[in-house]
Amino acid sequence: MVISRFAPTLGRFVRLTSRAHNHVQSRGLASLKQPASLFAPLDTFHERHIGPDDAEASKMLAQLGYDSMESFISDAVPPTIRLGEHAVDMPPLSESQLHARAKELAAKNKSFKSYIGMGYHNAVVPPVILRNVMENPAWYTQYTPYQPEIAQGRLESLINFQTMVMSLTSMDIANASLLDEATAAAEGMVMSFVSAPKKKTFIVDAGVTTQTIAVLQTRAKGFGIKVVVGNAEALVEDQSLKQDVCGVLVQYPDVNGAIKDFGDLADKTHSLGALVVCATDLLALTKIKPPGEWGADVVVGNSARFGVPAGYGGPHAAFFAVTDKLKRKMPGRLVGRSRDAEGNLAYRLSLQTREQHIRRERATSNICTSQALLANMAAMYAVYHGSDGLRRISSKVHKFTQVFESAVKAMGYKSVNEHFFDTLTLDVSAVSSAKSVHALASAVSINLRPIDDHHVGITFDESVSPDELVKLLKVFASAASASAPTITELPEPDAPSIPTHLRRTSNYLSHPVFNKHHSETEMLRYINHLASKDLSLVHSMIPLGSCTMKLNSTSSMIPLSWPEFSTVHPFAPYDQVQGYHQIISELEEDLCKITGFAAASLQPNSGASGEYAGLCVIRAYHESRGQGHRDICLIPLSAHGTNPASAAMAGLKVVSVKVHPDGNLDLEDLKDKAEKHKNNLAAFMITYPSTFGVFEAGVQDACKIIHENGGQVYLDGANLNAQIGLTNPATCGGDVCHLNLHKTFAIPHGGGGPGVGPICVAEHLAPFLPSHPAMPVRGEKSIDAVSAAPFGSASINVISWAYIKMLGGKGLIDSTKIALLNANYMAKRLQGHYSLKYKNENGRVAHELLIDLAEFDKMAGLKVADFAKRLQDYGFHPPTCSWPIQTCMLIEPTESETLEELDRFCDAMIAIREEADDIISGKQPKDNNLLKNAPHPVSTLVASEWNRPYTREQAVYPLPWLREKKFWPSVSRIDDAYGDLNLICDCPSVEELAQVD
C-alpha cells in the first residue's frame, strides 16, 4: 500500500491505495484505528484531543531522523529524570461515559435554595449571555489581549466592565477585574501600605466578611502589616494606633446587611494620611450613595451577581476602582483607549509598566491575569439591562427584603439592622433558637447564614420568586408557632429601608452602550459583533509559548452549565455538596499522581496565586522548625516575572542566579549563593522545562544543592505539559509546585482569565496547606486562606477533572509526547529561516521553541513587534513576544494542533522571512514595508489612495489559502505611547461617538 499526502491547502486527507481498493479516507486516529472490541466505545477522547494522527506523527519523526517515538523522547528528556512506562496509570473514560459519571456525581449535590449571602448570590444568567458568551468558544478560547489589533471585541467589552464599575462606584478609574473580592481587598490593603510605607497598621471593620479577613491576614504577614479587626470608627480614634494607620477597610453594606454612613470615618482616616478601602456590592449601589461620593480611595467587590453563576465559589470577576491619584499604583490589567495608525479609535492594555513582569521583585502584586470571561459576562449583563433594568431588579430585591422583614417582625423576630438593602440579621431568641430555625429551613431545602445561637442571616437576590418568599416565611412562622401570610397578605412597601441621606441621587450607566441593546435581537448581534473582531482557537492555532493554548473540549465544558454545579453556594454545608467533594478529591488525587507529590490544594485561583501559596507554605514549614529567619529566595534570571513578585509578597528577599549563554542554569553560581546564604536560605524557584524551552540535565543537581543548604525547592509548573508521564516535579527534586489548570489541564483562558493554580506538595509540607473559615476542620499548622472561597474557582475544576478522566494515563502521556514532537518538528521546519536560540545537547527542544530575531533588527531595523503584527495578516495570533528574551519569540504548538496547522504556521513564518529579506536587500524600504505597516485591516485595503511599495494583494493575501480562510484585524497598528500619555479608560460618551461619526 502506498501512502501519500495532499498539499495542506487541499484538505486534511490521507490517500490509501492498494490492489484491492482505491479510495480517499479521512485522516485521524478515530477513523484509522479499529476499536478493541464490538463493545468498546467509539467516542474516545484521546483521538479527539490529540491533533496529529499516527501517520502524521510518523512523518514528523522521520523528518527529525527517528524511527520511533521512544528514541525521540530519549533525546528530548534527560534519562536521569525519566519515569517508568506506566507511571501515570489511569483508565480512560469515553465522552459519553464521562457525561454519565458527571451526571452521577452532580446528583450527589443537593439542591438547596441559598440565602447565605456573604458576597455570593444566586445570579440569574440571561440565556443570551449564557449561550453566546459563557458557552461560546469564540469568547472562552481567546487569549489575553496583548495583541490588541486582533482583540478589539473583548477589549471593548472590558472597557464596558470598567465603565460599569466606575459609574456605579463613582470612582475615577477601574481595572479590568481581579481574582475575587477578598484578594482585591488584600490588594487594596497593600496599596494603602505602599502609599504610607512607614505605617504598618491596617484597620478592618468588624462588618467585613470573614473570608476577606482571613485572606488579609495571610497577605499582611509577608509585608509585615498589622491587621486590627474591630469597630473602625473607634479604632481610628485609638491613640495607640492612629499614628501608625496606613488604611481602613469597611464593608458597605456590611456582612450583616447594615448600611452605615462612613463619610466621617473617611475624613478622619484621610486626616491620618491613610486610605479608605471600601468593599461593596454593585447592585446595592444602584440604591445607595456610591463610595466615591463619601470619600473612599479604593473600592472593591464581586461582580458575580451580574449574571455569573455561584459555581461553589467561582470563578468570579472582582472589581477594583481607585481615585485618579492612585491610578498608576493600581494592580492588574487596565484597558484604555488609544488610536491606530489611521487615527481610528482603538483599545489596548494600558500602563503595562505597572505589571509584575516589568517590576519583578520590586512589585507589590504578582497579578498577571484577570477574570476576563466573567468580567465580560458581568459587563454584558449591565449592557443588556441598562440603568433602568438594574434599577428595576434592585427595587424588587430590596422590596422582597422589606416584605420579609415586616412579616417576620409580626411573628416576634427582631431585625438587628434598621437599614438594609438585601440582607437581614435576625435575633430569633424571643421566639425560637437559631438551631431550630436552621433545622426547619434545612427540612425544606433552604440554607440560611449561621451566625450564633441567637441570630440568623438572610440575603435576598433576584432569583427569589414569590412562591419561594412564602416558603421562606413558612419556615420562620413554624419556628415561631405562628401562621404564615399568603402572597396576597403581603403589602408592598411604600418607602425604602435606606437612610434618606444615603440614598443614591446621581445617575449611572448613561453611556450609549448601556442604553441600546435591551432586546435579545440587539444583544445577540452586539455579542457576536464583538466576537467577530477577536481571533480565538475557533480560527487558528494560538502558539503562545508558556501559555499552552490547547483544545478546550466541549465535552469537558458541558457540566458547567448544569444547575447541580452552577448554583451551589461556596459556604453550603459539606453534606450538601458530596458530588463536588468527590470531584475535588479525585482531581487532587490525580494531580498528586501526576506530580509525584503527597497532597494538594485547589484553593489558589491563578498560577501566580499558586506561587504565592506555595511560598507561604514553605515559610510556615520553616517557622514550625524554629527557622522563621530563613528569608532568602534564589531565582534564576530567566524566571517568569511572577516568581520574584510572589517571593517579595511572601516576605522573601530575592537573590538572582546566573544563567549560562546556552540557557542552562549556572550551577556553580547557584552553589556559591546557596552556600553564602545557607543560614537564611528559604527557597529556590525554578521553572522546568526552563522558560527557554529546554529540559536542563542538571535539575536534580540544582535541587540537591538547595536541600543541602537548608532550603526548599519550588518548581514552577507552568510547563508541566512537557512532563506528564515522562517525568514529574517530585522526581526532579521539588518540594512544592503549582499547576496551571488553564494550561496543562485544558481550562479555557477566557480572553485573560479565569485560571486555577493549585499547589501540590511533598508529605512534609502537607500540614501547611491553606485553610479557610468555611472549612469545618482546619489543620493546626495550615496557613490562612489565599482565596475568598475554600476551593477557589471550584466550578471550573470540573473541566480539568473531566480532561484527566477522559484521557486516562496513556492519553495524558501521549499528549505530552505529541506536544514535544510538534515543537521539535516546528523547530526543524523553521531551521535555516530563523535562529533557534536554545536546544539541548541532542539538538532538541522541549514543548516550545525560542527563536531569536535580533539579526533582523541589526540588518533592517525590524523588531519583534513587526513580525508579530505581520503574522496577524496571515491569520495567526503571534507567539509570545519579547519574553523571556527581548529579541525573541517563544512558540508553543501544544498537542492539539494537526500537522496541517503546524505547516500552515511554519509556511507563514517562512513567507515573512522572505518579506524581511526583501527589506534587508533593499527591494522594500526600511520605513515603509509589509512588516512595518502590518497589520492591514479592511479599512486600509479599501482606502482610495495606496502609496505603498507593495500591492494590496501582497498585503492581505500573501499565501493562497488566505483567500478562503482569512481572519481580518479590525484596526491597524495601535499607538501604545499615545494610549499611555492620554489615559482614558471608559466608554466613549455620546458626544465623543458623534465626533467619531
Side-chain angles (χ1 to χ4, degrees):
M1 182 172 68
V2 178
I3 301 179
S4 63
R5 185 172 177 83
F6 286 124
T9 53
L10 298 181
R12 293 170 61 184
F13 294 94
V14 177
R15 182 180 294 279
L16 304 177
T17 320
S18 71
R19 294 177 183 176
H21 62 276
N22 184 7
H23 68 277
V24 176
Q25 181 173 330
S26 62
R27 53 126 357 248
L29 287 167
S31 57
L32 295 179
K33 285 187 175 180
Q34 293 298 317
S37 74
L38 174 64
F39 306 105
L42 298 179
D43 58 338
T44 49
F45 183 63
H46 178 285
E47 289 85 352
R48 306 300 188 193
H49 175 71
I50 297 176
D53 61 21
D54 286 350
E56 290 176 334
S58 295
K59 180 178 180 179
M60 287 190 282
L61 287 167
Q63 287 282 328
L64 295 171
Y66 297 100
D67 58 7
S68 72
M69 179 67 80
E70 180 53 38
S71 59
F72 160 68
I73 295 297
S74 294
D75 275 357
V77 184
T80 54
I81 60 170
R82 284 291 303 276
L83 300 175
E85 185 177 353
H86 302 293
V88 181
D89 189 15
M90 307 173 187
L93 297 177
S94 70
E95 290 180 316
S96 56
Q97 288 170 338
L98 185 282
H99 187 275
R101 173 65 173 154
K103 278 290 187 185
E104 176 187 342
L105 293 178
K108 294 185 177 183
N109 291 333
K110 299 176 182 178
S111 180
F112 271 58
K113 182 69 177 182
S114 174
Y115 297 89
I116 295 172
M118 297 188 71
Y120 296 95
H121 304 84
N122 305 299
V124 175
V125 188
V128 66
I129 296 174
L130 176 68
R131 177 57 58 88
N132 295 287
V133 179
M134 180 177 167
E135 297 178 344
N136 184 353
W139 280 93
Y140 66 69
T141 67
Q142 302 163 351
Y143 186 65
T144 303
Y146 287 129
Q147 296 292 334
E149 296 85 359
I150 51 175
Q152 286 297 293
R154 63 185 175 280
L155 285 167
E156 180 176 330
S157 184
L158 290 171
I159 277 277
N160 293 345
F161 177 83
Q162 292 176 182
T163 304
M164 170 190 81
V165 172
M166 292 160 62
S167 180
L168 288 169
T169 61
S170 288
M171 298 298 285
D172 296 323
I173 192 166
N175 72 11
S177 76
L178 292 178
L179 301 177
D180 59 38
E181 181 176 314
T183 54
E187 296 286 350
M189 175 182 69
V190 175
M191 179 180 279
S192 302
F193 171 69
V194 171
S195 299
K198 294 182 179 180
K199 300 180 177 182
K200 295 193 172 184
T201 296
F202 188 75
I203 293 172
V204 180
D205 189 70
V208 172
T209 60
T210 54
Q211 68 268 22
T212 294
I213 294 172
V215 170
L216 290 174
Q217 289 168 335
T218 308
R219 187 72 60 91
K221 191 170 184 179
F223 290 95
I225 299 171
K226 178 183 177 182
V227 175
V228 180
V229 181
N231 183 323
E233 292 169 314
L235 288 171
V236 295
E237 300 282 7
D238 189 326
Q239 294 300 319
S240 66
L241 297 176
K242 60 191 305 183
Q243 298 306 314
D244 192 49
V245 173
C246 63
V248 175
L249 172 66
V250 296
Q251 193 99 29
Y252 175 73
D254 74 12
V255 67
N256 296 314
I259 301 172
K260 299 177 182 178
D261 186 349
F262 290 117
D264 288 344
L265 175 64
D267 291 340
K268 292 175 183 177
T269 302
H270 292 151
S271 71
L272 301 176
L275 300 182
V276 176
V277 183
C278 173
T280 190
D281 176 84
L282 292 180
L283 193 65
L285 294 184
T286 66
K287 289 291 185 185
I288 63 177
K289 187 176 181 179
E293 294 180 11
W294 54 251
D297 301 288
V298 181
V299 181
V300 303
N302 183 356
S303 67
R305 76 183 304 172
F306 277 23
V308 179
Y312 199 36
H316 299 148
F319 57 88
F320 193 97
V322 298
T323 56
D324 185 72
K325 68 179 182 180
L326 296 172
K327 65 187 178 186
R328 294 182 185 272
K329 296 180 180 179
M330 183 166 57
R333 293 182 180 140
L334 179 65
V335 180
R337 291 191 245 166
S338 188
R339 63 187 182 189
D340 71 0
E342 299 169 10
N344 299 314
L345 171 68
Y347 302 108
R348 57 180 283 278
L349 293 178
S350 300
L351 299 181
Q352 290 193 56
T353 52
R354 300 169 301 111
E355 295 195 15
Q356 43 66 35
H357 66 277
I358 303 294
R359 294 180 56 81
R360 297 177 70 84
E361 65 269 19
R362 293 180 295 111
T364 54
S365 171
N366 66 351
I367 289 292
C368 68
T369 189
S370 59
Q371 298 280 29
L373 182 66
L374 300 316
N376 284 329
M377 290 179 67
M380 290 297 183
Y381 180 94
V383 168
Y384 194 37
H385 289 293
S387 58
D388 289 342
L390 292 181
R391 190 176 295 111
R392 185 170 62 176
I393 292 168
S394 63
S395 293
K396 181 176 181 179
V397 170
H398 183 54
K399 289 180 178 180
F400 265 48
T401 313
Q402 288 180 290
V403 166
F404 175 80
E405 187 215 30
S406 176
V408 295
K409 274 185 174 180
M411 300 173 192
Y413 296 96
K414 180 183 177 182
S415 178
V416 172
N417 44 318
E418 177 185 0
H419 302 295
F420 54 84
F421 168 63
D422 65 359
T423 296
L424 296 170
T425 297
L426 296 181
D427 182 345
V428 303
S429 58
V431 292
S432 187
S433 67
K435 182 177 180 180
S436 175
V437 172
H438 285 299
L440 289 168
S442 180
V444 291
S445 301
I446 288 175
N447 283 331
L448 308 173
R449 179 167 75 94
I451 299 176
D452 57 33
D453 292 341
H454 305 295
H455 298 87
V456 297
I458 306 98
T459 296
F460 286 81
D461 54 54
E462 65 170 314
S463 73
V464 180
S465 68
D467 287 344
E468 288 171 328
L469 174 61
V470 170
K471 183 178 179 180
L472 181 63
L473 285 170
K474 287 180 178 178
V475 168
F476 283 85
S478 178
S481 299
S483 59
T486 64
I487 241 347
T488 57
E489 296 172 329
L490 297 173
E492 185 169 334
D494 55 8
S497 296
I498 299 170
T500 303
H501 71 288
L502 288 179
R503 295 176 191 173
R504 182 162 193 146
T505 58
S506 54
N507 293 327
Y508 53 89
L509 302 186
S510 59
H511 293 75
V513 71
F514 298 107
N515 292 282
K516 60 188 297 186
H517 304 293
H518 299 162
S519 75
E520 183 169 336
T521 300
E522 286 301 312
M523 192 65 197
L524 178 67
R525 290 172 181 163
Y526 181 62
I527 291 171
N528 285 283
H529 169 64
L530 294 189
S532 72
K533 298 181 179 185
D534 288 14
L535 189 148
S536 67
L537 285 175
V538 306
H539 300 102
S540 59
M541 71 184 293
I542 301 180
L544 284 154
S546 195
C547 298
T548 316
M549 298 292 290
K550 63 171 66 179
L551 170 73
N552 310 125
S553 73
T554 306
S555 52
S556 64
M557 296 284 289
I558 285 175
L560 291 188
S561 301
W562 297 348
E564 297 93 334
F565 292 120
S566 66
T567 63
V568 180
H569 193 285
F571 305 151
Y574 273 25
D575 67 334
Q576 297 174 14
V577 284
Q578 291 304 301
Y580 253 123
H581 282 256
Q582 183 69 35
I583 287 174
I584 289 167
S585 176
E586 290 181 10
L587 179 57
E588 288 178 345
E589 181 181 342
D590 289 345
L591 295 179
C592 286
K593 187 177 294 186
I594 288 166
T595 60
F597 285 130
S601 169
L602 296 172
Q603 193 177 126
N605 49 17
S606 76
S609 178
E611 290 176 14
Y612 170 69
L615 291 172
C616 288
V617 164
I618 288 174
R619 294 223 68 182
Y621 166 73
H622 287 312
E623 289 169 3
S624 74
R625 304 172 74 229
Q627 297 182 355
H629 60 277
R630 290 187 174 272
D631 63 353
I632 298 294
C633 185
L634 303 181
I635 301 179
L637 290 168
S638 59
H640 194 283
T642 54
N643 285 181
S646 297
M649 287 172 56
L652 297 170
K653 299 172 184 175
V654 175
V655 175
S656 297
V657 179
K658 295 177 184 177
V659 176
H660 285 302
D662 64 1
N664 286 326
L665 182 69
D666 187 332
L667 289 177
E668 286 301 316
D669 189 54
L670 177 69
K671 183 177 181 181
D672 289 345
K673 287 173 178 172
E675 291 177 350
K676 177 182 177 181
H677 297 286
K678 65 180 180 180
N679 292 329
N680 295 305
L681 182 62
F684 170 55
M685 300 186 79
I686 184 171
T687 303
Y688 201 72
S690 76
T691 56
F692 294 148
V694 177
F695 282 100
E696 295 182 53
V699 63
Q700 290 175 318
D701 294 333
C703 295
K704 183 179 179 182
I705 290 169
I706 300 303
H707 290 142
E708 287 175 346
N709 288 280
Q712 295 286 289
V713 176
Y714 181 96
L715 200 148
D716 187 316
N719 294 338
L720 191 76
N721 206 50
Q723 293 188 40
I724 299 180
L726 305 180
T727 185
N728 63 41
T731 298
C732 291
D735 300 290
V736 55
C737 74
H738 89 266
L739 315 175
N740 295 90
L741 298 192
H742 50 288
K743 296 181 182 181
T744 308
F745 298 101
I747 288 176
H749 283 71
V756 178
I759 56 173
C760 296
V761 299
E763 187 174 2
H764 65 282
L765 295 180
F768 305 95
L769 287 171
S771 62
H772 192 280
M775 290 180 172
V777 178
R778 303 172 65 182
E780 292 182 5
K781 298 180 180 180
S782 296
I783 65 170
D784 275 322
V786 296
S787 299
F791 300 100
S793 298
S795 67
I796 55 175
N797 288 330
V798 175
I799 299 170
S800 295
W801 168 81
Y803 172 84
I804 293 170
K805 293 304 181 189
M806 287 191 292
L807 277 178
K810 184 179 185 306
L812 288 166
I813 296 170
D814 286 348
S815 294
T816 298
K817 291 177 178 178
I818 294 296
L820 298 175
L821 179 61
N822 281 355
N824 279 274
Y825 172 77
M826 293 181 76
K828 177 71 173 179
R829 275 222 58 196
L830 295 177
Q831 183 179 323
H833 305 283
Y834 294 95
S835 173
L836 182 65
K837 186 71 174 175
Y838 299 116
K839 53 191 176 184
N840 70 7
E841 64 276 9
N842 299 315
R844 295 289 154 246
V845 298
H847 64 307
E848 56 193 1
L849 55 142
L850 192 65
I851 60 171
D852 194 348
L853 306 178
E855 61 183 290
F856 301 100
D857 190 8
K858 294 176 183 176
M859 292 187 288
L862 293 172
K863 309 291 186 182
V864 173
D866 299 320
F867 285 83
K869 303 308 179 186
R870 184 56 176 155
L871 259 175
Q872 296 177 14
D873 285 328
Y874 285 79
F876 285 105
H877 193 293
T880 300
C881 294
S882 300
W883 187 87
I885 297 174
Q886 190 70 24
T887 59
C888 291
M889 279 184 167
L890 187 62
I891 305 169
E892 181 184 0
T894 83
E895 70 274 16
S896 297
E897 301 299 341
T898 63
L899 177 58
E900 177 189 341
E901 187 72 353
L902 303 182
D903 281 334
R904 204 165 67 89
F905 177 82
C906 291
D907 289 343
M909 288 294 293
I910 292 168
I912 294 172
R913 167 64 202 243
E914 293 170 354
E915 294 170 350
D917 285 340
D918 286 345
I919 301 166
I920 294 168
S921 67
K923 290 182 181 179
Q924 283 200 28
K926 291 184 178 180
D927 61 347
N928 183 18
N929 54 63
L930 284 162
L931 277 71
K932 287 292 183 183
N933 294 333
H936 298 82
V938 173
S939 58
T940 300
L941 184 68
V942 300
S944 57
E945 293 187 8
W946 185 265
N947 300 317
R948 305 188 182 194
Y950 49 88
T951 66
R952 287 178 166 89
E953 183 176 23
Q954 287 175 311
V956 300
Y957 294 130
L959 288 176
W961 48 262
L962 285 164
R963 293 183 178 276
E964 178 187 356
K965 190 176 183 181
K966 169 78 175 179
F967 179 86
W968 291 89
S970 57
V971 295
S972 58
R973 193 176 303 196
I974 293 174
D975 188 336
D976 289 330
Y978 178 87
D980 280 351
L981 290 171
N982 302 274
L983 189 63
I984 305 174
C985 299
D986 62 358
C987 300
S989 65
V990 176
E991 293 77 15
E992 288 169 320
L993 288 173
Q995 290 174 10
V996 172
D997 292 339

